[in-house]
Amino acid sequence: MHAAFSAKAQEARIAALEGETRACSRLWGRLPAAARTAFRVVYRSNSEDVDAEAIVKRHIKLLHQYNEAKDATQILIGKLASHKEMTLAQLHAELDLPTTD
């Protein structure tokens, strides 16, 4: 059984999905390289004989690496903000960085 949708409704849904796809692509491009790599490593295999425990351990290791890099980056951003006599929010806005995680 298939649901019936008008052509106009289908076109609107397609346009909405295309917009979401573009937004996801932009977000993907803004992710740190370590996060993109972690995602690729964890999700690259579709095999059913994947060792889930090994994937989890690898994912946790990559998260630790990402968090260490992020912490170091935040320290540098804080020092730069101090040097420029700006708040972190102002510097984030100037550098077009997100203000949330």
Coordinates of all heavy atoms in Angstrom, one line a residue:
M1 N 0.8 -1.2 0.0 CA 0.0 0.0 0.0 C 0.9 1.2 0.0 O 1.8 1.3 0.8 CB -0.9 0.0 1.2 CG -1.7 1.3 1.3 SD -2.7 1.6 2.7 CE -3.1 0.1 3.5
H2 N 0.6 2.2 -0.9 CA 1.4 3.4 -1.0 C 0.5 4.6 -0.6 O -0.7 4.6 -1.0 CB 1.9 3.6 -2.4 CG 2.9 2.5 -2.8 ND1 4.1 2.4 -2.2 CD2 2.8 1.5 -3.7 CE1 4.7 1.4 -2.7 NE2 4.0 0.8 -3.6
A3 N 1.0 5.5 0.1 CA 0.3 6.7 0.4 C 0.3 7.7 -0.8 O 1.3 7.7 -1.5 CB 0.9 7.4 1.6
A4 N -0.8 8.4 -1.0 CA -0.8 9.3 -2.2 C -0.5 10.7 -1.7 O -1.0 11.2 -0.7 CB -2.2 9.3 -2.8
F5 N 0.4 11.3 -2.4 CA 0.9 12.7 -2.1 C 0.7 13.5 -3.4 O 1.0 13.0 -4.5 CB 2.3 12.8 -1.6 CG 2.5 12.1 -0.3 CD1 3.0 10.8 -0.2 CD2 2.2 12.8 0.9 CE1 3.3 10.2 1.0 CE2 2.4 12.2 2.1 CZ 2.9 10.9 2.2
S6 N 0.3 14.7 -3.3 CA 0.2 15.6 -4.4 C 1.6 15.9 -4.9 O 2.6 15.9 -4.2 CB -0.5 16.9 -4.1 OG 0.3 17.7 -3.3
A7 N 1.7 16.3 -6.2 CA 3.0 16.6 -6.8 C 3.6 17.8 -6.1 O 4.8 17.9 -5.8 CB 2.8 16.9 -8.3
K8 N 2.7 18.8 -5.7 CA 3.2 20.0 -5.0 C 3.8 19.6 -3.6 O 4.8 20.1 -3.2 CB 2.0 20.9 -4.8 CG 2.4 22.3 -4.3 CD 1.2 23.2 -4.3 CE 1.6 24.6 -3.9 NZ 0.5 25.6 -3.9
A9 N 3.1 18.7 -2.9 CA 3.6 18.2 -1.6 C 4.9 17.5 -1.7 O 5.9 17.6 -0.9 CB 2.6 17.3 -0.9
Q10 N 5.0 16.7 -2.8 CA 6.3 15.9 -3.1 C 7.4 16.9 -3.4 O 8.5 16.7 -2.9 CB 6.1 14.9 -4.2 CG 5.3 13.8 -3.8 CD 5.0 12.8 -5.0 OE1 5.5 13.1 -6.1 NE2 4.3 11.7 -4.8
E11 N 7.2 17.9 -4.2 CA 8.2 18.9 -4.5 C 8.6 19.7 -3.3 O 9.8 19.9 -3.1 CB 7.6 19.9 -5.6 CG 7.5 19.2 -7.0 CD 6.8 20.1 -8.0 OE1 6.6 21.3 -7.7 OE2 6.5 19.6 -9.1
A12 N 7.7 20.0 -2.4 CA 8.0 20.7 -1.2 C 8.9 19.9 -0.3 O 9.9 20.3 0.3 CB 6.8 21.2 -0.5
R13 N 8.5 18.6 -0.2 CA 9.3 17.7 0.6 C 10.7 17.5 0.1 O 11.7 17.5 0.8 CB 8.6 16.3 0.7 CG 9.3 15.3 1.6 CD 9.4 15.7 3.0 NE 10.0 14.7 3.8 CZ 10.9 14.9 4.8 NH1 11.1 16.2 5.2 NH2 11.4 14.0 5.5
I14 N 10.8 17.3 -1.3 CA 12.1 17.2 -1.9 C 13.0 18.4 -1.7 O 14.2 18.3 -1.3 CB 12.0 16.9 -3.4 CG1 11.4 15.5 -3.6 CG2 13.3 17.1 -4.2 CD1 11.0 15.2 -5.0
A15 N 12.4 19.6 -1.8 CA 13.1 20.9 -1.6 C 13.6 20.9 -0.1 O 14.7 21.3 0.2 CB 12.2 22.1 -1.9
A16 N 12.7 20.5 0.8 CA 13.1 20.5 2.2 C 14.3 19.6 2.5 O 15.2 19.9 3.2 CB 11.9 20.2 3.1
L17 N 14.2 18.4 1.9 CA 15.3 17.4 2.1 C 16.6 17.9 1.5 O 17.7 17.7 2.0 CB 14.9 16.0 1.5 CG 13.8 15.3 2.3 CD1 13.3 14.1 1.5 CD2 14.3 14.9 3.7
E18 N 16.5 18.5 0.3 CA 17.7 19.1 -0.3 C 18.3 20.2 0.5 O 19.5 20.2 0.7 CB 17.4 19.6 -1.7 CG 17.1 18.5 -2.7 CD 16.6 19.0 -4.1 OE1 16.1 20.2 -4.1 OE2 16.7 18.3 -5.0
G19 N 17.5 21.0 1.2 CA 18.0 22.0 2.1 C 18.7 21.4 3.3 O 19.7 21.8 3.7
E20 N 18.1 20.3 3.8 CA 18.7 19.6 5.0 C 20.0 19.0 4.6 O 21.0 19.0 5.3 CB 17.8 18.6 5.5 CG 16.6 19.1 6.2 CD 15.6 18.0 6.7 OE1 16.1 16.9 6.9 OE2 14.4 18.3 6.9
T21 N 20.1 18.5 3.4 CA 21.3 17.8 2.9 C 22.4 18.9 2.7 O 23.6 18.7 3.1 CB 21.1 17.2 1.5 OG1 20.1 16.2 1.7 CG2 22.3 16.5 0.9
R22 N 22.1 20.1 2.2 CA 23.1 21.1 2.1 C 23.5 21.6 3.5 O 24.7 21.8 3.7 CB 22.5 22.3 1.3 CG 22.4 22.1 -0.2 CD 22.0 23.4 -1.0 NE 20.7 23.9 -0.6 CZ 19.6 23.5 -1.1 NH1 19.5 22.6 -2.0 NH2 18.5 24.1 -0.7
A23 N 22.6 21.7 4.4 CA 23.0 22.1 5.8 C 23.9 21.1 6.4 O 24.9 21.4 7.1 CB 21.7 22.3 6.6
C24 N 23.6 19.8 6.2 CA 24.5 18.7 6.8 C 25.8 18.8 6.1 O 26.9 18.6 6.8 CB 23.8 17.4 6.6 SG 22.4 17.1 7.6
S25 N 25.9 19.0 4.8 CA 27.2 19.1 4.1 C 28.0 20.3 4.7 O 29.2 20.1 4.9 CB 27.0 19.3 2.6 OG 26.4 18.1 2.1
R26 N 27.4 21.4 4.9 CA 28.1 22.5 5.5 C 28.6 22.2 6.9 O 29.7 22.5 7.2 CB 27.2 23.8 5.5 CG 27.0 24.4 4.2 CD 26.4 25.8 4.3 NE 25.1 25.8 4.9 CZ 23.9 25.6 4.3 NH1 23.8 25.3 3.1 NH2 22.8 25.6 5.0
L27 N 27.8 21.6 7.7 CA 28.1 21.2 9.0 C 29.3 20.2 9.0 O 30.3 20.3 9.8 CB 27.0 20.6 9.8 CG 27.2 20.1 11.2 CD1 27.7 21.3 12.1 CD2 25.9 19.5 11.8
W28 N 29.2 19.2 8.1 CA 30.3 18.2 8.0 C 31.6 18.9 7.7 O 32.6 18.6 8.2 CB 29.9 17.2 6.9 CG 31.0 16.2 6.6 CD1 31.9 16.2 5.6 CD2 31.2 15.0 7.4 NE1 32.7 15.1 5.7 CE2 32.3 14.3 6.8 CE3 30.6 14.5 8.5 CZ2 32.8 13.2 7.3 CZ3 31.1 13.3 9.0 CH2 32.2 12.6 8.4
G29 N 31.6 19.9 6.8 CA 32.8 20.6 6.4 C 33.4 21.4 7.6 O 34.6 21.7 7.6
R30 N 32.5 21.8 8.5 CA 33.0 22.6 9.7 C 33.5 21.7 10.8 O 34.1 22.2 11.8 CB 31.9 23.5 10.2 CG 31.6 24.6 9.1 CD 30.6 25.6 9.6 NE 31.2 26.3 10.7 CZ 30.6 27.3 11.3 NH1 29.4 27.7 11.0 NH2 31.2 28.0 12.3
L31 N 33.2 20.4 10.8 CA 33.7 19.6 11.8 C 35.2 19.4 11.8 O 35.8 19.4 10.7 CB 33.1 18.1 11.7 CG 31.7 17.9 12.0 CD1 31.3 16.5 11.7 CD2 31.4 18.2 13.5
P32 N 35.9 19.4 12.9 CA 37.3 19.1 12.9 C 37.6 17.8 12.2 O 36.9 16.9 12.2 CB 37.6 19.0 14.4 CG 36.5 19.7 15.1 CD 35.3 19.5 14.3
A33 N 38.8 17.8 11.6 CA 39.2 16.6 10.9 C 39.2 15.4 11.7 O 38.8 14.3 11.3 CB 40.6 16.8 10.3
A34 N 39.5 15.5 13.0 CA 39.6 14.3 13.9 C 38.2 13.7 14.0 O 38.0 12.5 14.1 CB 40.1 14.7 15.3
A35 N 37.2 14.6 14.1 CA 35.8 14.1 14.3 C 35.3 13.4 13.0 O 34.7 12.4 13.0 CB 34.8 15.3 14.6
R36 N 35.7 14.0 11.8 CA 35.3 13.4 10.5 C 36.0 12.0 10.4 O 35.4 11.0 10.0 CB 35.6 14.3 9.4 CG 34.8 15.5 9.3 CD 34.9 16.3 8.0 NE 36.3 16.6 7.7 CZ 36.9 17.7 7.9 NH1 36.3 18.7 8.6 NH2 38.2 17.9 7.5
T37 N 37.2 11.9 10.8 CA 38.0 10.7 10.7 C 37.4 9.7 11.7 O 37.2 8.5 11.3 CB 39.5 10.9 11.1 OG1 40.0 11.8 10.2 CG2 40.2 9.6 11.1
A38 N 37.0 10.1 12.9 CA 36.4 9.1 13.8 C 35.1 8.6 13.3 O 34.8 7.4 13.4 CB 36.2 9.9 15.2
F39 N 34.3 9.4 12.7 CA 33.0 9.0 12.1 C 33.3 8.0 11.0 O 32.7 6.9 11.0 CB 32.3 10.2 11.6 CG 30.9 9.8 11.0 CD1 29.8 9.7 11.9 CD2 30.7 9.6 9.7 CE1 28.6 9.4 11.4 CE2 29.5 9.2 9.2 CZ 28.4 9.1 10.0
R40 N 34.2 8.3 10.1 CA 34.5 7.4 9.0 C 35.0 6.0 9.5 O 34.6 5.0 9.0 CB 35.5 8.0 8.1 CG 35.0 9.1 7.2 CD 36.0 9.6 6.2 NE 35.6 10.7 5.5 CZ 36.1 11.9 5.7 NH1 37.1 12.1 6.5 NH2 35.6 13.0 5.0
V41 N 35.9 6.0 10.5 CA 36.5 4.8 11.0 C 35.4 3.9 11.7 O 35.3 2.7 11.4 CB 37.6 5.1 12.0 CG1 38.0 3.9 12.8 CG2 38.8 5.7 11.3
V42 N 34.6 4.6 12.5 CA 33.6 3.8 13.2 C 32.5 3.3 12.3 O 32.0 2.1 12.4 CB 32.9 4.7 14.3 CG1 31.8 4.0 15.0 CG2 34.0 5.0 15.4
Y43 N 32.1 4.0 11.3 CA 31.0 3.6 10.5 C 31.3 3.2 9.1 O 30.4 3.0 8.2 CB 30.0 4.8 10.4 CG 29.4 5.2 11.7 CD1 29.9 6.3 12.4 CD2 28.5 4.4 12.4 CE1 29.5 6.6 13.7 CE2 28.0 4.7 13.6 CZ 28.5 5.8 14.3 OH 28.0 6.1 15.5
R44 N 32.6 2.9 8.8 CA 33.0 2.5 7.5 C 32.5 1.1 7.1 O 32.4 0.8 5.9 CB 34.5 2.6 7.3 CG 35.2 1.6 8.0 CD 36.7 1.7 7.7 NE 37.4 0.7 8.5 CZ 38.5 0.9 9.2 NH1 39.1 2.1 9.2 NH2 39.0 -0.1 9.9
S45 N 32.3 0.2 8.1 CA 32.0 -1.2 7.8 C 30.5 -1.5 8.0 O 30.0 -1.1 9.0 CB 32.8 -2.1 8.7 OG 32.5 -3.4 8.5
N46 N 30.0 -2.1 7.0 CA 28.6 -2.5 7.1 C 28.5 -4.0 7.3 O 27.4 -4.6 7.3 CB 27.8 -2.2 5.8 CG 27.6 -0.7 5.7 OD1 27.5 0.0 6.7 ND2 27.6 -0.2 4.5
S47 N 29.6 -4.7 7.6 CA 29.7 -6.1 7.7 C 29.0 -6.5 9.0 O 29.1 -5.8 10.1 CB 31.1 -6.6 7.8 OG 31.2 -7.9 8.1
E48 N 28.3 -7.7 9.0 CA 27.7 -8.1 10.2 C 28.6 -8.8 11.2 O 28.3 -9.0 12.4 CB 26.5 -9.1 9.9 CG 25.4 -8.4 9.2 CD 24.2 -9.3 9.0 OE1 24.1 -10.3 9.7 OE2 23.4 -9.0 8.1
D49 N 29.8 -9.1 10.8 CA 30.8 -9.8 11.7 C 31.7 -8.8 12.3 O 32.8 -9.1 12.7 CB 31.5 -10.9 11.0 CG 32.3 -10.4 9.8 OD1 32.1 -9.2 9.4 OD2 33.2 -11.1 9.3
V50 N 31.3 -7.5 12.5 CA 32.1 -6.5 13.1 C 32.2 -6.7 14.6 O 31.2 -7.1 15.2 CB 31.5 -5.1 12.8 CG1 32.2 -4.0 13.5 CG2 31.6 -4.8 11.3
D51 N 33.4 -6.5 15.1 CA 33.5 -6.7 16.6 C 33.1 -5.4 17.3 O 33.8 -4.4 17.2 CB 35.0 -7.0 16.9 CG 35.3 -7.1 18.4 OD1 34.3 -7.1 19.2 OD2 36.5 -7.3 18.7
A52 N 31.9 -5.4 17.8 CA 31.3 -4.2 18.4 C 32.2 -3.7 19.6 O 32.3 -2.5 19.7 CB 29.9 -4.6 19.0
E53 N 32.8 -4.5 20.3 CA 33.6 -4.1 21.5 C 34.8 -3.3 20.9 O 35.2 -2.3 21.5 CB 34.1 -5.2 22.3 CG 34.8 -4.8 23.6 CD 35.1 -6.0 24.5 OE1 34.4 -7.0 24.4 OE2 36.1 -5.8 25.3
A54 N 35.4 -3.8 19.8 CA 36.6 -3.1 19.3 C 36.2 -1.7 18.7 O 36.9 -0.8 18.8 CB 37.2 -4.0 18.2
I55 N 35.0 -1.7 18.1 CA 34.5 -0.4 17.6 C 34.3 0.6 18.7 O 34.7 1.7 18.6 CB 33.2 -0.6 16.8 CG1 33.5 -1.4 15.5 CG2 32.5 0.7 16.5 CD1 32.2 -1.8 14.7
V56 N 33.7 0.1 19.8 CA 33.5 1.0 20.9 C 34.8 1.5 21.5 O 34.9 2.7 21.8 CB 32.6 0.3 22.0 CG1 32.5 1.1 23.3 CG2 31.2 0.1 21.5
K57 N 35.7 0.6 21.7 CA 37.1 1.0 22.2 C 37.7 2.0 21.3 O 38.3 3.0 21.8 CB 38.0 -0.2 22.4 CG 37.6 -1.1 23.6 CD 38.6 -2.2 23.8 CE 38.2 -3.1 24.9 NZ 39.1 -4.3 25.1
R58 N 37.7 1.8 20.0 CA 38.3 2.7 19.1 C 37.6 4.1 19.1 O 38.2 5.1 19.1 CB 38.2 2.1 17.7 CG 38.6 3.0 16.6 CD 40.1 2.9 16.3 NE 40.5 3.6 15.1 CZ 41.5 4.5 15.1 NH1 42.2 4.7 16.1 NH2 41.7 5.1 14.0
H59 N 36.3 4.0 19.2 CA 35.5 5.2 19.3 C 35.8 6.0 20.5 O 36.0 7.3 20.5 CB 34.0 4.9 19.2 CG 33.1 6.1 19.1 ND1 33.0 6.8 18.0 CD2 32.3 6.7 20.0 CE1 32.1 7.8 18.2 NE2 31.7 7.7 19.4
I60 N 35.9 5.4 21.6 CA 36.3 6.1 22.9 C 37.7 6.7 22.8 O 37.9 7.8 23.2 CB 36.2 5.1 24.1 CG1 34.7 4.8 24.4 CG2 36.8 5.7 25.3 CD1 34.5 3.7 25.4
K61 N 38.6 5.9 22.2 CA 40.0 6.4 22.0 C 40.0 7.7 21.2 O 40.6 8.7 21.5 CB 40.9 5.4 21.4 CG 42.3 5.8 21.1 CD 43.1 4.7 20.4 CE 44.4 5.3 20.1 NZ 45.2 4.3 19.3
L62 N 39.2 7.7 20.1 CA 39.1 8.8 19.2 C 38.4 10.0 19.9 O 38.8 11.1 19.7 CB 38.4 8.4 17.9 CG 39.2 7.5 17.0 CD1 38.3 7.0 15.9 CD2 40.4 8.2 16.4
L63 N 37.4 9.7 20.7 CA 36.8 10.8 21.4 C 37.7 11.5 22.4 O 37.7 12.7 22.5 CB 35.5 10.3 22.2 CG 34.3 10.0 21.3 CD1 33.2 9.3 22.2 CD2 33.8 11.3 20.7
H64 N 38.6 10.7 23.1 CA 39.6 11.2 24.0 C 40.5 12.1 23.2 O 40.8 13.2 23.6 CB 40.3 10.1 24.7 CG 39.6 9.5 25.8 ND1 39.2 10.1 26.9 CD2 39.2 8.2 26.0 CE1 38.5 9.3 27.7 NE2 38.5 8.1 27.1
Q65 N 41.0 11.6 22.0 CA 41.9 12.5 21.2 C 41.2 13.8 20.8 O 41.8 14.8 20.8 CB 42.3 11.7 20.0 CG 43.3 10.5 20.3 CD 43.6 9.7 19.1 OE1 43.0 9.8 18.0 NE2 44.6 8.8 19.3
Y66 N 40.0 13.6 20.3 CA 39.2 14.8 19.9 C 39.1 15.8 21.1 O 39.3 17.0 20.9 CB 37.8 14.4 19.4 CG 36.9 15.6 19.2 CD1 37.0 16.4 18.1 CD2 35.9 15.8 20.2 CE1 36.2 17.5 18.0 CE2 35.1 16.9 20.0 CZ 35.2 17.8 18.9 OH 34.4 18.8 18.8
N67 N 38.7 15.3 22.3 CA 38.5 16.2 23.4 C 39.8 16.9 23.8 O 39.8 18.0 24.2 CB 37.9 15.4 24.6 CG 36.5 15.1 24.4 OD1 35.8 15.9 23.7 ND2 36.0 14.0 24.9
E68 N 40.9 16.1 23.7 CA 42.2 16.8 24.0 C 42.5 17.9 23.0 O 43.0 19.0 23.4 CB 43.3 15.7 24.0 CG 43.3 14.8 25.2 CD 44.3 13.7 25.1 OE1 45.1 13.6 24.2 OE2 44.3 12.8 26.0
A69 N 42.3 17.6 21.7 CA 42.5 18.7 20.7 C 41.6 19.8 20.9 O 42.0 21.0 20.8 CB 42.3 18.1 19.3
K70 N 40.3 19.6 21.3 CA 39.4 20.6 21.5 C 39.8 21.5 22.7 O 39.7 22.7 22.7 CB 38.0 20.1 21.7 CG 36.9 21.1 21.9 CD 35.6 20.5 22.0 CE 34.6 21.6 22.3 NZ 33.3 21.2 22.7
D71 N 40.2 20.8 23.8 CA 40.6 21.5 25.0 C 41.8 22.4 24.7 O 41.9 23.6 25.1 CB 41.0 20.6 26.1 CG 39.8 19.8 26.7 OD1 38.7 20.2 26.5 OD2 40.1 18.8 27.4
A72 N 42.8 21.9 23.9 CA 44.0 22.7 23.6 C 43.5 23.9 22.7 O 44.0 25.0 22.9 CB 45.0 21.9 22.8
T73 N 42.6 23.7 21.8 CA 42.1 24.7 20.9 C 41.4 25.8 21.8 O 41.6 27.0 21.5 CB 41.1 24.2 19.9 OG1 41.8 23.2 19.1 CG2 40.6 25.2 19.0
Q74 N 40.6 25.4 22.7 CA 39.9 26.4 23.6 C 40.9 27.2 24.4 O 40.7 28.4 24.6 CB 38.9 25.6 24.5 CG 37.7 25.1 23.8 CD 36.9 26.2 23.0 OE1 36.7 27.2 23.6 NE2 36.5 25.9 21.8
I75 N 42.0 26.6 24.8 CA 43.0 27.3 25.6 C 43.6 28.4 24.7 O 43.7 29.6 25.1 CB 44.1 26.4 26.1 CG1 43.5 25.5 27.3 CG2 45.3 27.2 26.6 CD1 44.4 24.4 27.7
L76 N 43.9 28.0 23.4 CA 44.5 29.0 22.5 C 43.5 30.1 22.1 O 43.9 31.3 22.1 CB 45.0 28.3 21.2 CG 46.2 27.3 21.4 CD1 46.4 26.6 20.1 CD2 47.4 28.1 21.8
I77 N 42.2 29.7 22.0 CA 41.2 30.7 21.7 C 41.1 31.7 22.8 O 41.0 32.9 22.7 CB 39.9 30.1 21.3 CG1 40.0 29.4 19.9 CG2 38.7 31.1 21.3 CD1 38.8 28.6 19.6
G78 N 41.1 31.2 24.1 CA 41.1 32.0 25.2 C 42.3 33.0 25.3 O 42.1 34.2 25.6
K79 N 43.5 32.5 25.0 CA 44.6 33.3 25.0 C 44.5 34.4 23.9 O 44.9 35.6 24.1 CB 45.9 32.5 24.8 CG 46.2 31.7 26.1 CD 47.5 30.9 25.9 CE 47.9 30.1 27.1 NZ 48.3 30.8 28.3
L80 N 44.0 34.0 22.8 CA 43.9 35.0 21.7 C 42.9 36.1 22.0 O 43.1 37.3 21.8 CB 43.5 34.3 20.4 CG 43.3 35.2 19.1 CD1 44.6 35.9 18.8 CD2 42.8 34.3 18.0
A81 N 41.8 35.6 22.7 CA 40.7 36.6 23.1 C 41.3 37.6 24.1 O 41.1 38.8 24.0 CB 39.5 35.9 23.7
S82 N 42.1 37.1 25.0 CA 42.7 37.9 26.0 C 43.7 38.9 25.4 O 43.7 40.1 25.7 CB 43.5 37.0 27.0 OG 44.1 37.8 28.0
H83 N 44.5 38.4 24.4 CA 45.5 39.2 23.7 C 44.7 40.4 23.0 O 45.2 41.5 22.9 CB 46.3 38.4 22.8 CG 47.3 39.2 22.0 ND1 48.4 39.7 22.5 CD2 47.3 39.5 20.7 CE1 49.1 40.4 21.6 NE2 48.4 40.3 20.5
K84 N 43.6 40.0 22.4 CA 42.9 41.0 21.6 C 41.9 41.8 22.5 O 41.2 42.7 21.9 CB 42.0 40.3 20.5 CG 42.9 39.8 19.4 CD 41.9 39.2 18.3 CE 42.7 39.1 17.0 NZ 41.8 39.0 15.8
E85 N 41.9 41.5 23.8 CA 41.0 42.2 24.7 C 39.6 42.1 24.3 O 38.8 43.1 24.2 CB 41.5 43.6 24.9 CG 42.8 43.8 25.5 CD 43.3 45.2 25.8 OE1 42.6 46.1 25.3 OE2 44.3 45.4 26.4
M86 N 39.2 40.9 24.0 CA 37.8 40.5 23.5 C 37.3 39.4 24.5 O 38.0 38.7 25.1 CB 37.8 40.0 22.1 CG 38.4 40.9 21.1 SD 38.5 40.1 19.5 CE 36.9 40.3 18.9
T87 N 36.0 39.3 24.5 CA 35.4 38.2 25.2 C 35.4 37.0 24.2 O 35.6 37.1 23.0 CB 33.9 38.5 25.5 OG1 33.1 38.6 24.3 CG2 33.7 39.7 26.4
L88 N 35.3 35.8 24.8 CA 35.3 34.6 24.0 C 34.1 34.7 22.9 O 34.3 34.3 21.8 CB 35.1 33.3 24.8 CG 36.4 32.9 25.6 CD1 36.0 31.8 26.5 CD2 37.5 32.6 24.7
A89 N 33.0 35.1 23.4 CA 31.8 35.2 22.4 C 32.1 36.2 21.3 O 31.8 35.9 20.1 CB 30.6 35.7 23.2
Q90 N 32.8 37.3 21.5 CA 33.2 38.2 20.5 C 34.1 37.6 19.5 O 34.0 37.7 18.3 CB 33.8 39.5 21.1 CG 32.8 40.4 21.8 CD 33.5 41.5 22.6 OE1 34.6 41.3 23.1 NE2 32.8 42.6 22.7
L91 N 35.1 36.9 20.0 CA 36.1 36.2 19.2 C 35.5 35.1 18.4 O 35.8 34.9 17.2 CB 37.3 35.7 20.0 CG 38.4 35.1 19.2 CD1 39.0 36.1 18.3 CD2 39.5 34.5 20.1
H92 N 34.6 34.3 19.0 CA 33.9 33.3 18.3 C 33.1 33.9 17.1 O 33.1 33.4 16.0 CB 33.0 32.5 19.2 CG 33.6 31.4 19.9 ND1 33.3 30.1 19.7 CD2 34.6 31.4 20.8 CE1 34.1 29.3 20.5 NE2 34.9 30.1 21.2
A93 N 32.5 35.0 17.3 CA 31.7 35.7 16.3 C 32.6 36.2 15.2 O 32.4 36.0 14.0 CB 30.9 36.8 16.9
E94 N 33.8 36.8 15.6 CA 34.7 37.3 14.6 C 35.3 36.2 13.7 O 35.5 36.4 12.5 CB 35.9 38.0 15.3 CG 36.9 38.6 14.4 CD 38.1 39.2 15.1 OE1 37.8 40.3 15.8 OE2 39.2 38.7 15.0
L95 N 35.5 35.0 14.3 CA 36.1 33.9 13.6 C 35.0 33.0 13.0 O 35.4 32.0 12.4 CB 37.0 33.1 14.5 CG 38.2 33.8 15.1 CD1 39.0 32.9 16.1 CD2 39.1 34.3 14.0
D96 N 33.8 33.3 13.1 CA 32.6 32.5 12.6 C 32.7 31.1 13.2 O 32.5 30.1 12.5 CB 32.6 32.5 11.1 CG 31.3 32.0 10.6 OD1 30.3 32.2 11.3 OD2 31.3 31.4 9.5
L97 N 32.9 31.0 14.5 CA 33.0 29.8 15.2 C 31.7 29.6 16.0 O 31.1 30.5 16.4 CB 34.1 29.7 16.2 CG 35.5 29.8 15.6 CD1 36.5 29.9 16.8 CD2 35.8 28.6 14.8
P98 N 31.2 28.3 16.1 CA 30.0 28.1 16.9 C 30.2 28.4 18.4 O 31.3 28.3 18.9 CB 29.7 26.6 16.7 CG 31.0 26.0 16.3 CD 31.8 27.1 15.6
T99 N 29.2 28.9 19.0 CA 29.3 29.2 20.5 C 28.8 28.1 21.4 O 28.9 28.2 22.6 CB 28.5 30.5 20.8 OG1 27.2 30.3 20.4 CG2 29.1 31.7 20.1
T100 N 28.3 27.1 20.8 CA 27.9 25.9 21.5 C 28.6 24.7 21.0 O 29.2 24.7 19.9 CB 26.4 25.7 21.4 OG1 26.1 25.5 20.0 CG2 25.6 26.8 21.9
D101 N 28.6 23.6 21.8 CA 29.3 22.4 21.4 C 28.7 21.7 20.2 O 27.7 21.5 19.8 CB 29.3 21.4 22.6 CG 30.7 21.1 23.1 OD1 31.6 21.5 22.4 OD2 30.8 20.5 24.2

